[in-house]
Amino acid sequence: VINANDKLSYDLTLPEASERYTLSSRDLASGEVELNGKVLDLGPGDSLPRLDGIRSPAGEAVVTPASITFFEFRSANNIACK
């Protein structure tokens, strides 16, 4: 879900629990990106950081302004994800 609006949040209804991954930035011009509220920084030797989702229950989910959110539904059985 891409929320290109920099002022308004959007509500979604999730049919089941999921893992949520939200990319955002406190300052879009800074070059700093956060995943679920934590700054993504390279580790030693430019290793990639862990990309951990957060549990999101079924029901209402708020997509914050100027963010990109992915929801992982384990029971989706999408053949491309196997």
Side-chain angles (χ1 to χ4, degrees):
V1 178
I2 299 173
N3 184 356
N5 190 307
D6 64 349
K7 295 179 181 41
L8 298 176
S9 295
Y10 291 99
D11 296 336
L12 298 175
T13 301
L14 302 178
E16 61 185 80
S18 65
E19 290 291 313
R20 179 182 182 139
Y21 301 84
T22 297
L23 296 167
S24 60
S25 180
R26 294 173 200 258
D27 177 5
L28 295 176
S30 73
E32 195 170 74
V33 176
E34 297 177 0
L35 174 64
N36 298 327
K38 296 180 184 176
V39 175
L40 290 174
D41 287 320
L42 292 175
D46 290 339
S47 61
L48 296 176
R50 289 184 52 92
L51 303 177
D52 295 319
I54 55 174
R55 189 92 172 131
S56 191
E60 185 179 317
V62 177
V63 179
T64 56
S67 67
I68 300 171
T69 300
F70 299 87
F71 293 97
E72 175 189 1
F73 296 98
R74 299 205 183 236
S75 67
N77 291 322
N78 186 335
I79 192 105
C81 297
K82 293 183 178 189

